[in-house]
Structures are given as structure tokens and as C-alpha cells.
């Protein structure tokens, strides 16, 4: 893992959130005052610049319009605006419950994603739903996180998160479900145990969890291995990649993922599109989730689409990627705030 390592900083009482620690750590380095606006509450940070003070909420800035945050949270409204801008957005509908409309949509597209209309962090999302039984279960899960449910065509491809700061692509991460690689001598169980041990990283902002621990007793894990002709005690050949998650009818929130930097790979046309998407929604600091065959090729509706736009993007995966180059996105963020 490529890390910006330094002697662990001492953080004031109340700074527990890693995003806030990243901001404070970089602000100190840049000579910017940074403190909690209200003691014991990490919702707001006060930045003291040379001639002004700015209040932020992690990566939500003082320049983010209220309407922009609301639009990003409502996936239907967000998709409508992007579609009107001519951007590739997978076909979708909104339903309140299981019914004929939902079944017709599933039959039309064969494979769909079911998600709460206004939730975040993959809560209540089910991937690659293909049968009516799976659809009913997925809608039931989604209703636990919201009253309206978005059904969207499932796009086959690779997942990317594009970070936009002030109409610039600051970083791009490719992410995929956590996997292990065989070494010809260790069992699958041993490879997973090693992965779990190495997932915690000691960084300048404290202990950082790269991904949630893999549960060796999980039935889904055992089924996924079985489909690959493997069991936990089997030894896999050198360099064989062993998938630990099957996305088929899986709850997205329970999938641990690797994040790898690929900022240098994005096609200029995709860069233009991502900037346009953030601009259309009036989001100055945005995390845009894209699925496509290859980020190095212009995205079209035939080979990908924009899945979601987040108005409170997480910077930690760009600072501490599992592979690729560490991006100093926190400095870029603070420089933007200083200039605004």
C-alpha cells in the first residue's frame, strides 16, 4: 500500500473522524488554522485563513448550494438532470413497493440494481437482481432505508470513483471486491487471514482500516469459493486471483473493496464529462461513481454509465489507495478553499 507516512500527529480532543484528521493534518502543514466549530461536535470545522474564516462539513464547502446537496441525495432527480445533459445514465424507474411495474422493468432489462432513492454508503443496495423472488427480497431490504425505491439497469463493467474539486479531476480510483492471490504454498484460509492482518495501516492520522475484515465463516464466501472449485483449506496455484465475493444478488453494503489509483488513465472525454456532471448539479467537490468497461475509453450508454454523484466524497481512499499513486487531494481541497 502506497502511504504518505510521517510521525503520527497529536490530534486535539474530539478529532476522531478520519476525514477531519486528514484535513487538520494537512491544514497544519499549510499553515492554516483548523479547529472544531463546536467542542465535542465533528460536524463542522472552522478554517482560519489569512484574511477570513471558513466553515466546512468535511468535504462539503461553504460554496455548496443547499439545492445541490438535495439533488445529489435524490438519485431520481440527479439522474434526470444528467440525462437532460446528454450523459450516459442507465435506464431506471422509481417504485414504492413490489408490484407489476417492478416486475415488468426486471423482465425488460433481465439484470437490475435495487437501491433506496435517497440513501448513501451502499446501504440497502442489492446488485445484479435477476428473478422475481430476488427482486421482492431486494425491495424489502431497500425499504428499510427509504420509502421510495430506485430500480436501475445493472451495468456490466469496472467500478470507478472520480473525485472532482473545483471543476478539475483531482483523482480517480478503480475499485473491485477484495480478492486474494494464490502463492502455491498457502491455503486460501491462510491468504485471507494474512489479508485481514494487513488491512489495518498505521498512518499519520492514526490507524486506518483499508477495508472491513473478511469473515471466514460467511456462507456467501464459502459459496463463492465453491463456484471457483475451491475450499478454504485448498492451496491455490501461484498468481491465481481468488474472488471472495460473488456480485450476483449481493447486498452492496456487505462487500469489502480494494481501491487502486488510476488517475492517469482517464480518457480526456471522460474527464470533460465528469466535470460537466458536477457543474450541472452545482457540486464543487463531488465523488462521481461510474461503471464502464474501461475508463481509458470514452463512456457511452452502450458500454457504461454514471451511477451516482456524491456531494460528500471520502478523500481517504485517494490518500491511501491499495495500489497506485497516493494523491495529495487534501492539499488541493484546502487550496481551493483558500482561493474561494
Amino acid at each position: 500500500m502506497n502511504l504518505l507516512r510521517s510521525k503520527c500527529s497529536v490530534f486535539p480532543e474530539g478529532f476522531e473522524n478520519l476525514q477531519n484528521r486528514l484535513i487538520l493534518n494537512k491544514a497544519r502543514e499549510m499553515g492554516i488554522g483548523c479547529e472544531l466549530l463546536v467542542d465535542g461536535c465533528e460536524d463542522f470545522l472552522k478554517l482560519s485563513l489569512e484574511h477570513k474564516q471558513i466553515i466546512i462539513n468535511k468535504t462539503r464547502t461553504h460554496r455548496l448550494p443547499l439545492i445541490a446537496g438535495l439533488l445529489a441525495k435524490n438519485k431520481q432527480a440527479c439522474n434526470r438532470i444528467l440525462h437532460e445533459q446528454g450523459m450516459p445514465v442507465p435506464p431506471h424507474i422509481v417504485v414504492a413497493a413490489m408490484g407489476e411495474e417492478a416486475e415488468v422493468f426486471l423482465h425488460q432489462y433481465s439484470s437490475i440494481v435495487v437501491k433506496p432513492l435517497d440513501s448513501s454508503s451502499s446501504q440497502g443496495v442489492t446488485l445484479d437482481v435477476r428473478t422475481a423472488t430476488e427482486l421482492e427480497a431486494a425491495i424489502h431490504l431497500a425499504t428499510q432505508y427509504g420509502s421510495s425505491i430506485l430500480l436501475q439497469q445493472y451495468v456490466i463493467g469496472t467500478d470507478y470513483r472520480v473525485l472532482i474539486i473545483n471543476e478539475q479531476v483531482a483523482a480517480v480510483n478503480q475499485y473491485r471486491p477484495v480478492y486474494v492471490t494464490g502463492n502455491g504454498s498457502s491455503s486460501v484460509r491462510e491468504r485471507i487471514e494474512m489479508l485481514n492482518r494487513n488491512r489495518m495501516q498505521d498512518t499519520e492520522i492514526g490507524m486506518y482500516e483499508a477495508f472491513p475484515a473478511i469473515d471466514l465463516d460467511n456462507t456467501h464466501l464459502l459459496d463463492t469459493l465453491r463456484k471457483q472449485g475451491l475450499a478454504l483449506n485448498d492451496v491455490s496455484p501461484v498468481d491465481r486471483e481468488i474472488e471472495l465475493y460473488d456480485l450476483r444478488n449481493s447486498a452492496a453494503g456487505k462487500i469489502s473493496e480494494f481501491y487502486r489509483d488510476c488517475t492517469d488513465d482517464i480518457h480526456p472525454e471522460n474527464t470533460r464529462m465528469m466535470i460537466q456532471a458536477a457543474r450541472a448539479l452545482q457540486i464543487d467537490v463531488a465523488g462521481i461513481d461510474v461503471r464502464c468497461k474501461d475508463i481509458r475509453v470514452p463512456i457511452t450508454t452502450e458500454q457504461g454509465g454514471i451511477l451516482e454523484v456524491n456531494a460528500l466524497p471520502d478523500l481517504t481512499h485517494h490518500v491511501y489507495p491499495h495500489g497506485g499513486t497516493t494523491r495529495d487531494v487534501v492539499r488541493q481541497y484546502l487550496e481551493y478553499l483558500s482561493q474561494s
Side-chain angles (χ1 to χ4, degrees):
M1 195 171 189
N2 195 0
L3 298 175
L4 294 171
R5 289 190 174 275
S6 65
K7 184 176 180 180
C8 185
S9 302
V10 177
F11 292 94
E13 184 177 353
F15 273 83
E16 302 297 332
N17 180 272
L18 293 186
Q19 288 246 67
N20 284 341
R21 286 191 169 199
L22 275 176
I23 293 168
L24 173 59
N25 200 54
K26 186 59 63 172
R28 286 171 167 173
E29 182 182 310
M30 297 172 65
I32 299 172
C34 179
E35 60 183 309
L36 299 177
L37 178 65
V38 179
D39 290 341
C41 174
E42 287 201 76
D43 289 342
F44 303 103
L45 296 183
K46 180 170 69 174
L47 301 178
S48 299
L49 304 164
E50 187 175 353
H51 302 297
K52 59 186 175 182
Q53 291 186 334
I54 295 174
I55 308 300
I56 62 172
N57 168 227
K58 301 181 181 72
T59 51
R60 287 194 187 104
T61 79
H62 61 302
R63 299 189 67 181
L64 177 71
L66 174 61
I67 191 67
L70 295 174
L71 282 172
K73 189 173 182 181
N74 186 299
K75 298 174 179 63
Q76 186 180 27
C78 180
N79 287 345
R80 172 68 63 85
I81 289 176
L82 296 181
H83 179 72
E84 290 177 350
Q85 291 279 320
M87 298 184 192
V89 177
H92 60 277
I93 62 170
V94 175
V95 300
M98 181 66 178
E100 183 179 357
E101 186 180 13
E103 291 195 57
V104 168
F105 186 82
L106 173 62
H107 179 74
Q108 182 178 2
Y109 292 103
S110 301
S111 173
I112 66 174
V113 176
V114 178
K115 60 178 76 173
L117 184 62
D118 56 1
S119 72
S120 59
S121 303
S122 299
Q123 291 182 322
V125 178
T126 305
L127 306 171
D128 197 8
V129 172
R130 301 185 190 180
T131 70
T133 301
E134 293 171 355
L135 177 59
E136 185 171 12
I139 289 177
H140 176 73
L141 173 64
T143 55
Q144 297 177 39
Y145 299 90
S147 57
S148 295
I149 311 303
L150 182 79
L151 310 183
Q152 189 173 55
Q153 180 185 19
Y154 181 69
V155 178
I156 297 174
T158 301
D159 288 309
Y160 299 90
R161 163 60 68 92
V162 181
L163 176 66
I164 302 292
I165 299 178
N166 190 28
E167 299 197 345
Q168 295 182 21
V169 170
V172 182
N173 271 351
Q174 177 192 97
Y175 52 104
R176 61 172 288 187
V178 168
Y179 64 93
V180 294
T181 304
N183 64 359
S185 58
S186 303
S187 68
V188 175
R189 181 191 303 275
E190 290 169 333
R191 299 301 287 168
I192 296 175
E193 289 172 344
M194 179 176 293
L195 193 68
N196 279 338
R197 288 195 298 271
N198 293 335
R199 68 190 177 84
M200 300 300 298
Q201 303 291 334
D202 187 9
T203 75
E204 71 269 29
I205 61 171
M207 294 303 295
Y208 169 70
E209 184 182 48
F211 52 87
I214 310 301
D215 180 7
L216 287 162
D217 296 323
N218 185 278
T219 302
H220 186 81
L221 167 64
L222 301 180
D223 288 342
T224 302
L225 293 177
R226 189 178 302 113
K227 291 175 182 177
Q228 298 169 84
L230 293 168
L232 285 173
N233 294 323
D234 290 342
V235 174
S236 182
V238 176
D239 294 335
R240 178 181 176 183
E241 291 186 356
I242 305 164
E243 303 295 340
L244 305 182
Y245 295 92
D246 181 0
L247 300 186
R248 173 85 172 82
N249 194 35
S250 291
K254 295 183 179 180
I255 298 173
S256 301
E257 293 174 311
F258 285 144
Y259 290 79
R260 182 184 69 83
D261 177 78
C262 60
T263 306
D264 297 331
D265 294 340
I266 187 169
H267 190 280
E269 180 60 25
N270 293 335
T271 294
R272 183 202 62 77
M273 184 188 301
M274 298 305 110
I275 292 172
Q276 182 187 354
R279 184 187 298 135
L281 294 166
Q282 303 180 67
I283 304 176
D284 55 341
V285 181
I288 303 178
D289 290 330
V290 177
R291 184 175 296 136
C292 59
K293 293 179 181 178
D294 191 340
I295 199 72
R296 296 171 297 183
V297 177
I299 300 169
T300 65
T301 52
E302 288 73 33
Q303 66 96 6
I306 297 175
L307 304 183
E308 195 167 313
V309 181
N310 193 311
L312 184 62
D314 190 344
L315 302 182
T316 54
H317 295 305
H318 298 292
V319 178
Y320 307 120
H322 186 73
T325 304
T326 293
R327 301 291 171 175
D328 199 358
V329 294
V330 186
R331 173 178 291 277
Q332 187 170 344
Y333 175 55
L334 290 175
E335 286 176 345
Y336 160 59
L337 294 176
S338 301
Q339 297 163 5
S340 60

